[in-house]
Amino acid sequence: MKTILVTGFEPFDGETINPSWEATKLLQGHQIAGANVEVCQLPCIFDAALEHLYAAIDQIQPELVISVGQSGGRANISVERIAININDASIPDNAGKQPIDTPIIPGGPAAYFSSLPTKAMVNELKKAGIPASVSQTAGTFVCNHVMYGLLHYLAQKYPSVYGGFIHVPYLPEQAVKHSNMPSMTLELITIALKTAIETAWENKADIVVTGGATH
Ligand code: PCA
């Protein structure tokens, strides 16, 4: 059976949960549009996250890979468009590493575009009543690192496999500990991931949406 690999992250930055993993782990073993979903948790650690991701890809041999991460402060499901070849961490990762202005892959391309149909995904999320947008930056911390490393690895080793990244907001139980932070329930984030995965699986080529999808 065809397989979709979905990854989420362990908690970081003082949080005890990470919504990306709380939602992703609920998808293990699900059938989405005739494909089987396998999930894997990544450490929030530069380089180690990529080692875990590459091992999972080699073992599972998926046809589509979607990595998911927490973006505390964002109100929307953010379908990321681009990953850039830079690590520039404003906080330490879970191993205490804080790389500043280092390349992810020395000599690699400046950036990779997601090979997911970002606009179609956002469009379907909005149709389902879920706040969503195309994001033009996955940041410069471990999520961008994983998105770049994923797309580089697929380009080198599995050029027919599609890949990309989705950022999700805080859960309400996280937002309540911060001042004036947006959040989304686990139920809605989980429905959003299912909708986004299904759309990515069924629309390998993106659609053209005039206006709206990036906001
Ligand atoms: N979010 C972080 C790294 C892990 C996660 O869930 C980020 O946006 O880089």
Side-chain angles (χ1 to χ4, degrees), residues 65-146:
V65 184
I66 301 186
S67 290
V68 186
Q70 160 189 309
S71 183
R74 290 196 195 175
N76 287 354
I77 299 289
S78 306
V79 182
E80 298 294 345
R81 192 200 291 264
I82 189 165
I84 55 177
N85 191 14
I86 196 87
N87 300 311
D88 192 10
S90 59
I91 56 169
D93 69 12
N94 283 355
K97 292 193 278 186
Q98 193 171 356
I100 308 286
D101 294 349
T102 62
I104 299 164
I105 306 284
Y112 281 101
F113 286 114
S114 170
S115 54
L116 304 184
T118 52
K119 296 267 176 90
M121 291 160 77
V122 167
N123 207 39
E124 288 304 314
L125 288 165
K126 286 183 167 179
K127 274 205 268 175
I130 301 170
S133 54
V134 174
S135 162
Q136 318 302 344
T137 174
T140 52
F141 192 49
V142 182
C143 287
N144 172 72
H145 180 86
V146 158

Side-chain angles (χ1 to χ4, degrees), residues 143-188:
C143 287
N144 172 72
H145 180 86
V146 158
M147 184 181 175
Y148 185 94
L150 166 65
L151 294 168
H152 185 73
Y153 197 62
L154 295 181
Q156 303 289 310
K157 205 167 166 191
Y158 302 103
S160 65
V161 177
Y162 292 81
F165 199 98
I166 299 174
H167 263 122
V168 299
Y170 276 143
L171 293 169
E173 58 263 49
Q174 295 177 283
V176 81
K177 297 188 195 136
H178 299 273
S179 168
N180 200 24
M181 273 287 165
S183 64
M184 197 177 274
T185 62
L186 180 58
E187 190 190 6
L188 203 55

